[in-house]
Structure formats: C-alpha cells, structure tokens
Amino acid sequence: MEEEIKIKHLSFAPDNPPLSVIVAAKLAGITLPADTSTATSPTLHLSNGLKLHGTRVILRYIGRVANLSNFYGHDAFESSQVDEWLEYAPILSSGSEFENACTYMDKYMEKRTFFVGYSLSIADIAIWSGLAGTGQRWESLRKSNKYLNLVRWFNSVSAEYSDALNEVTATYVGKKGLGKPVASKPKEQQSVNGDISEKGKAGSKPSHEVDLPDAEIGKVRLRFAPEPSGYLHIGHSKAALLNQYFAQRYQGQVIVRFDDTNPSKESNEFVENLLKDIETLGIKYETVTYTSDYFPQLMEMAEKLIREGKAYVDDTPREQMQKERMDGIESKCRSNSVEENLKLWNEMVAGSERGLQCCVRGKLDMQDLNKSLRDPVYYRCNPVPHHRIGSKYKLYPTYDFACPFVDSIEGITHALRSSEYHDRNDQYYRIQMDMGLRKVYIYEFSRLNMVYTLLSKRKLLWFVQNGKVDGWDDPRFPTVQGIVRRGLKIEALIQFILEQGASKNLNLMEWDKLWSINKRIIDPVCPRHTAVIEERRVLLTLTNGPDDPFCRIIPRHKKYDGAGEKATTYTKRIWVDHADAECISVDEEITLMDWGNAIVKEIIKDQDGNITQLVGVLHLEGSVKTTKLKLTWLPETKELINLTLVEFDYLITKKKLEEGEDFLDVLNPCTKKEVAALGDSNMSNLKRGEILQLERKGYFRCDVPFIRASKPVVLFAIPDGRQQSVLK
C-alpha cells in the first residue's frame, strides 16, 4: 500500500506571498507551514520529496486535494471554467489593465453569485486574492459606485469567510498591497493555517453532488412541468433549480412544459406568472410546451389501449370507485367488450349526458399491493372550457396518463419528481410499457417542506379566495413573488436550495436558515436610514445644540460607497424612540449616532409616569467607547417622512400538519402588524423594491414609495434569521 503523500511546507519570497494559495488552504482546513527564508518563487514541498512550482499549479493542487464540494468545479466543464479564471487572475497585478479587468468582471458577475457554478471555488479565491492583494487601490475602488456587482460579490465572500480572510490579509496585505508578512520570522517556519471557525470554512456547506442514473454527457433532456393552477412557490423552485443544475452538469437541455390537463383549476394568469417566476429564478430553458399540444395524440393513444383491451370505460360513481380500488374489488365494467367500451368512449368524446357519467380506466392489476396500479383513471369528462383551446374538448387526460406519454414523446431522458410520488413510479413505468413507448428514468428528490408553511396550491387558493391575504404575491405566501416581495434576494433562494441538493431524505426546513443567507447578501450593500416609532416618541432638547439647523452629507453605508450619500439635519430638538428614552438615567452620557455624545440632565414625565420629554447637553468631546446607549434619532423638522412599518407572521400556528389534520384548525389569527413611524427625509427617494436597513430596527423592503406627504411610505420588515420582532 502506497504511503499517503502529505504537504510538508510552502516556501516563497517574503515580499511576494502567494495569497490565493494561502487563502485556499486556510478555507480547506489544510495546514500549510510557510518558509520565507529563501527568495524563491512559490514552491510546495511534499513528503515524498517532490515539489510543485508556481502559484497557479499549487492552487490547482489544493483545489484537487481539498475535501470541499465543487472546490475545483463539479465536472470537467466547470473545472475548465475554473482554469480560465486562474489564467485570467494575474491580470489584476498588471497596473495598466486593472480597471479594465474590473469592468469586465463586474459585467460578468451581474447575475452570478460565484464565478463558476453555485458554490465557492478556487476561481473565486484567485480573483478575491488578486483584488485584495492590491491593497489600497482596490479598497478605494470598492468604496466607489463603479463596480457594483463585483463589489457585491467581494463583500459577500469577505463576510461569509471573514475569520479566515481577515487573518490572512492582516498578515500579508498592507496599504500598498502584497508585501512581507507582518510578523514573519525569516529563519523559522510560520504556519499560515490553523483551526478556523465554521463560518470561515467553505467545507461547512452540504454537498449537492448527486449522479443521474445512466446519464450521458450531452444527451440529457429534462423538463420542469408545473400545472398552471397557481403561482410558483418555494417547493416548485427546488424542482426547477435541480432540473437546471443537472442539465448544466450533463451539458444537456431543460424544457418548460405546462401540464394543463384540468381546465377547472387553470388559467392564462397562472401561465404568465409561472413564466415570470421561472425567469426570476434564472432558469435557462430550451422551449415552452403544453400537454394540451398533445391532446389529439393522447386521445388516439387512449382509443388504441381500449382496442387492445388495456383500458376500459367505467360508469361506476366516483365514491364507489374509490372504495372498490381501496378494497381491491374489480369494477362491473372491467369485463365489458371492446365494442361497448368504444361506444361509451364516443359518448365521452361527444360530451353527452351518458358520456358525462363515464371515465376511462387502465386495465392494470386490481390486486396489486401498490394501489396506484389498481386500474387508475386515464380520462374524465369536463365541460369547462380550456384556457388555451376553448371548448374543443369535453374530456381531458389525467396527469397519470398524460405525463408518461408526453415525457417519452418529447425525448425526456430523466423525469425529476419529488419522493411524495414514489408509489406512483411503478404506475408511470407500467403505463409507458402498455403504450409501447421508450422508458424515461424517474429520479426522485425530497420535497422541500418549510416549518409553519402550507405548499398545497388548493390551500393557498383558499387564503386568496377568502381574503386572508392580498393575492398570490402576498409577503406571507411561500410563492416566489411573495418571498421576493418580502425582501428575499433570488441568489439567497438558489444558494439555500442547492445546498440541500437532490437528497431523497424528507426534510422540514427552517425559514431562519434561508433568511440568514439573505442577510449575508444584503447587509454588505444595503443603505442605512433612520426611523423613530411615532407613538409616544420623546423630544430631547439639547440646550447647547445648534440654534440654526445645519446639514451634513454622509454615506448611506459606511463601508460601501456604492450605496450613495444622504443628507442629515442637526437641530436643537430631536426625536428619540420611547423605548430608548425609558432606558436613560439622569446625568447619563449617551451617544447620538452620526453626531456624538450628549448628557441627559432632566427626564420629564406626565402624571402617569410616562416619559414625555428629555433635556440634555451636547458633549461632543466625549468618547463613544464609554457610553452604554447608542441611540438613533431624528431632527424635529417638517421634512420627516411618514412611514408604515409592516411585520408579518406565519399563516398557521403549527410547525407541521399531521396526516388528516385540517389547516383551518390552526390558522394564525394575527399575521400582520403595522406600526406608524417617522423616517429621515432622504427616504422620499426610495424606490419600490429597494432594500434598506433602519438602524437598530432591522432590514426592510420598500413596497410603496413616497408619493405625497399624506400617504405613508410602506416598508416590509425582512426577517434576518434571528426570530425576533424588529418593531419595538
């Protein structure tokens, strides 16, 4: 047995550390002792005496040996993309080309979360290190609003792996860029690695690396097939994104097909909004098809199966039929002649009174322990006009009959289905076999279930029809439009779903994890504003404050200049939250954020003991480090903006409904809370959909922007994964 090859140490010139190699090893948890005693190009020394030379070569080696999912891409194509970026990264050390490179990468990252694929790779590390390694040059550009997409990505990576990255940059990057290690000991080996927190480990992400059975590169064809009876929700999103993931992985295709076989539930509104949601998710599909495109062929197939004795027409009442299926009792119509079946079939096609009493059933096996094989229904009459083709047909195929047919006809190689349909897999294969069609592989994944959440379209429709929500895009709904309206970034949803992967294990997921991912994306870039709750707000009079109000222009985000600037007015009388006023003691020194310190000299209360006014003096020479309370405040001016802050709760009060439990028994009586507040004057410029942070109150999305002074700006509270009310 060959001895395992281990890394001995990394040698490099003290004034030219290979930052990307050091960072990659740090994130991968690989111990990498450093030797800077000799002025050489980066060299990796292995335990068998062999050496690897050059930053890119060593980085590729780290990428291959690291026990991290997709660190060097998840397939040959992605690995080649990683190689492309490793070849490109050195341009960042070329002074004349630096800004051109930033412009190119900024455009490339417009709709991406990572440089390659859907998780961190050594491509990201090479580019991140190249930018960070320039020191002040990148820092000054980072604070400008020139490269918004590139800065968003850089800040996101910096925040997610902050412990490891801060340690490496503190050691190796100065204001002028890469240089000698700050605490280097030339004659000794110094470790550039060690234990890091889970936050700093790229490997803490679960893998979504799963294979499709019998899949061939370039020959995989998949379909995402929603029924147009509602809007796309978070559960459908998992199916859509997994189809795209496998199509990209196997260099195949994915199509969108609307399974429009039930005109009673479907509409063009749903089709249009499903396409809108699919586009929002960034799904790249080859074409859009409809099951209704195949209605003529499906009718021909049903008649063919009747002629072959593989299907029959049944007029048994629906409830009796269901009971007979459960008990394994054959229908009285099962032995009807082909002629009798064809006669009744024609009555169904005509939509006659006799035909409306009938359905077509497959003649499979009424004794099978798998009850889905007990003569399932293939066709039913329905006089309701179809949203695409009107009243042409009076009967429609069931999903169970149409799906295996259209999958095979459209050249689908693998049908991704959630494991809730597991018992119907045998039925799917049996129907394809009876039809004489090519077999399509079913690949199962676990349905995405969220706590306190209903994903049944029938149940969601009840909330819409009964006025419990404002529509399918209500922020309390788990629809894509609903959660985006509440403030979720699509890249957070994609990352959340792909981290779970194509696992077949049933899982009940917490919303907190999704909102935590979202916070990591929005916090580095969203602007900061100030609000004071209107009810019982308290006036603080600063006796030595400015007699004449004055204004300063300050950043909307202290660490991200791309957020722009805002005007802050300073006055002698300012508003503070009542909750903050209650925390203050007489003669206590407090910090007024974005101004300085003040000392509260007097607390005035009404006859019921409620604080109504505060009196204090500015003490701007005081140290903010010594104060316990750092308070947000607003000037007493007529320019303040009326706000309505809205916080939402779950629609039901139980984490998970048990089998047979009625959701109407666990409805949450109070799912929406509105609080009136005042906001700084800059909030008149907020646009619909803009995400911001109200300092010390949390993150919000602007749903209704400023129109006129009498109409409040409406802000929706965005959860941040900490499960606490932000409207205090």
Side-chain angles (χ1 to χ4, degrees), residues 204-466:
S204 61
K205 292 184 180 179
S207 167
H208 53 265
E209 193 74 30
V210 184
D211 293 321
L212 285 178
D214 295 327
E216 296 182 48
I217 298 293
K219 295 184 179 180
V220 168
R221 184 173 169 88
L222 308 171
R223 67 1 180 221
F224 174 54
E227 180 189 9
S229 58
Y231 286 39
L232 205 70
H233 62 53
I234 190 169
H236 304 132
S237 303
K238 179 174 182 179
L241 289 166
L242 284 176
N243 271 288
Q244 171 149 294
Y245 164 73
F246 282 122
Q248 291 177 342
R249 181 172 166 194
Y250 288 99
Q251 298 167 38
Q253 299 170 339
V254 62
I255 67 169
V256 171
R257 181 204 307 142
F258 288 105
D259 271 323
D260 53 346
T261 60
N262 187 350
S264 299
K265 294 182 178 180
E266 299 157 359
S267 73
N268 284 320
E269 176 203 349
F270 294 139
V271 170
E272 290 164 8
N273 280 281
L274 284 165
L275 286 172
K276 176 182 174 182
D277 296 338
I278 288 166
E279 183 179 349
T280 299
L281 288 174
I283 304 299
K284 297 177 178 64
Y285 53 86
E286 185 200 18
T287 187
V288 175
T289 67
Y290 298 81
T291 298
S292 54
D293 293 337
Y294 300 92
F295 279 177
Q297 296 99 306
L298 283 160
M299 289 182 68
E300 288 174 10
M301 178 58 73
E303 188 168 323
K304 173 176 176 285
L305 294 178
I306 291 171
R307 291 183 184 279
E308 292 175 353
K310 295 177 180 176
Y312 60 96
V313 180
D314 194 347
D315 63 358
T316 304
R318 183 175 290 202
E319 288 186 13
Q320 182 184 337
M321 186 187 298
Q322 288 174 339
K323 187 175 188 309
E324 288 178 353
R325 286 191 73 197
M326 293 300 292
D327 297 339
I329 299 170
E330 292 187 0
S331 165
K332 64 183 188 319
C333 301
R334 200 174 198 267
S335 57
N336 282 356
S337 67
V338 170
E339 291 72 26
E340 177 65 17
N341 284 324
L342 287 173
K343 180 183 174 184
L344 290 173
W345 166 252
N346 289 326
E347 295 283 349
M348 289 179 66
V349 173
S352 68
E353 186 177 343
R354 178 73 176 114
L356 292 174
Q357 299 171 348
C358 302
C359 69
V360 176
R361 296 176 67 182
K363 191 181 286 187
L364 303 186
D365 185 352
M366 284 299 293
Q367 307 308 315
D368 201 296
L369 294 177
N370 182 343
K371 293 175 183 176
S372 75
L373 289 166
R374 294 182 182 179
D375 293 8
V377 174
Y378 286 175
Y379 258 92
R380 280 198 180 97
C381 285
N382 189 343
V384 175
H386 190 276
H387 66 94
R388 285 187 74 227
I389 49 183
S391 301
K392 182 177 180 180
Y393 298 100
K394 302 294 187 287
L395 74 172
Y396 295 93
T398 60
Y399 174 85
D400 290 341
F401 181 71
C403 189
F405 177 86
V406 182
D407 279 348
S408 189
I409 292 296
E410 288 193 327
I412 303 304
T413 59
H414 298 78
L416 270 62
R417 300 214 302 192
S418 61
S419 51
E420 64 188 302
Y421 292 107
H422 177 77
D423 288 347
R424 294 191 178 194
N425 291 353
D426 288 343
Q427 179 202 80
Y428 178 96
Y429 291 135
R430 171 67 187 273
I431 292 173
Q432 269 182 352
M433 184 177 73
D434 280 0
M435 290 175 171
L437 297 174
R438 174 187 59 85
K439 180 178 180 180
V440 177
Y441 287 100
I442 291 176
Y443 186 83
E444 290 184 344
F445 60 90
S446 65
R447 174 186 167 124
L448 176 60
N449 294 305
M450 306 294 292
V451 295
Y452 301 107
T453 303
L454 301 169
L455 293 177
S456 158
K457 283 187 281 188
R458 177 181 60 82
K459 293 171 183 174
L460 295 178
L461 182 63
W462 180 90
F463 283 92
V464 175
Q465 292 177 335
N466 287 275

Side-chain angles (χ1 to χ4, degrees), residues 230-234 270 452-488 511 514-515 648-651 663 671:
Y231 286 39
L232 205 70
H233 62 53
I234 190 169
F270 294 139
Y452 301 107
T453 303
L454 301 169
L455 293 177
S456 158
K457 283 187 281 188
R458 177 181 60 82
K459 293 171 183 174
L460 295 178
L461 182 63
W462 180 90
F463 283 92
V464 175
Q465 292 177 335
N466 287 275
K468 301 292 185 183
V469 294
D470 299 330
W472 286 93
D473 65 345
D474 190 285
R476 291 162 288 191
F477 256 19
T479 55
V480 170
Q481 291 185 37
I483 55 181
V484 166
R485 191 174 168 205
R486 194 166 178 180
L488 188 82
W511 282 99
L514 176 57
W515 291 117
F648 299 100
D649 199 358
Y650 300 116
L651 291 170
F663 74 96
T671 61

Side-chain angles (χ1 to χ4, degrees), residues 495-533:
Q495 186 176 331
F496 173 74
I497 286 173
L498 289 181
E499 280 184 10
Q500 296 168 52
S503 163
K504 298 181 185 181
N505 300 323
L506 290 175
N507 45 13
L508 186 65
M509 301 299 294
E510 298 280 349
W511 282 99
D512 286 354
K513 183 178 180 186
L514 176 57
W515 291 117
S516 294
I517 295 171
N518 193 59
K519 179 188 173 183
R520 291 202 300 264
I521 292 170
I522 64 176
D523 182 72
V525 295
C526 73
R528 272 53 171 166
H529 287 275
T530 303
V532 169
I533 304 301

Side-chain angles (χ1 to χ4, degrees), residues 471-721:
W472 286 93
D473 65 345
D474 190 285
R476 291 162 288 191
F477 256 19
T479 55
V480 170
Q481 291 185 37
I483 55 181
V484 166
R485 191 174 168 205
R486 194 166 178 180
L488 188 82
K489 303 296 284 185
I490 283 298
E491 51 262 49
L493 178 61
I494 292 171
Q495 186 176 331
F496 173 74
I497 286 173
L498 289 181
E499 280 184 10
Q500 296 168 52
S503 163
K504 298 181 185 181
N505 300 323
L506 290 175
N507 45 13
L508 186 65
M509 301 299 294
E510 298 280 349
W511 282 99
D512 286 354
K513 183 178 180 186
L514 176 57
W515 291 117
S516 294
I517 295 171
N518 193 59
K519 179 188 173 183
R520 291 202 300 264
I521 292 170
I522 64 176
D523 182 72
V525 295
C526 73
R528 272 53 171 166
H529 287 275
T530 303
V532 169
I533 304 301
E534 190 167 8
E535 186 181 9
R536 300 167 71 196
R537 66 189 188 279
V538 176
L539 199 62
L540 167 56
T541 301
L542 301 164
T543 55
N544 63 339
D547 292 323
D548 297 318
F550 67 92
C551 185
R552 286 181 187 153
I553 304 300
I554 63 174
R556 290 173 83 200
H557 190 310
K558 290 182 175 65
K559 296 181 180 179
Y560 177 56
D561 286 355
E565 295 177 325
K566 62 183 178 181
T568 298
T569 303
Y570 300 82
T571 55
K572 193 165 192 165
R573 288 150 62 91
I574 62 175
W575 293 110
V576 296
D577 279 310
H578 183 268
D580 286 339
E582 287 188 314
C583 299
I584 300 172
S585 306
V586 174
D587 291 329
E588 181 176 2
E589 186 163 1
I590 61 173
T591 295
L592 301 173
M593 292 174 65
D594 292 328
W595 195 349
N597 284 7
I599 299 172
V600 176
K601 293 294 186 180
E602 187 180 357
I603 299 175
I604 301 169
K605 299 182 180 181
D606 63 16
Q607 58 189 18
D608 297 322
N610 296 314
I611 298 173
T612 57
Q613 282 193 64
L614 300 172
V615 180
V617 294
L618 283 172
H619 185 237
L620 299 180
E621 62 272 28
S623 171
V624 298
K625 295 179 181 178
T626 61
T627 57
K628 183 175 71 173
L629 297 176
K630 274 76 173 173
L631 305 186
T632 43
W633 57 275
L634 288 173
E636 187 198 29
T637 71
K638 294 180 180 178
E639 297 172 358
L640 299 181
I641 304 299
N642 290 314
L643 307 175
T644 299
L645 308 182
V646 188
E647 190 170 43
F648 299 100
D649 199 358
Y650 300 116
L651 291 170
I652 58 174
T653 58
K654 194 169 183 182
K655 265 194 169 186
K656 182 185 179 185
L657 288 184
E658 303 303 326
E659 189 75 32
E661 189 171 6
D662 191 343
F663 74 96
L664 296 175
D665 295 333
V666 292
L667 291 181
N668 188 348
C670 183
T671 61
K672 184 177 182 179
K673 177 183 177 184
E674 295 186 356
V675 175
L678 295 172
D680 64 69
S681 60
N682 304 275
M683 295 171 75
S684 63
N685 298 318
L686 289 175
K687 298 178 178 64
R688 186 173 195 271
E690 187 170 352
I691 288 175
L692 63 145
Q693 184 186 57
L694 293 181
E695 300 215 69
R696 300 178 60 239
K697 286 182 170 60
Y699 303 94
F700 290 80
R701 176 190 173 275
C702 178
D703 193 64
V704 179
F706 181 81
I707 300 169
R708 56 183 178 273
S710 61
K711 191 172 174 61
V713 171
V714 179
L715 302 179
F716 288 170
I718 305 172
D720 63 4

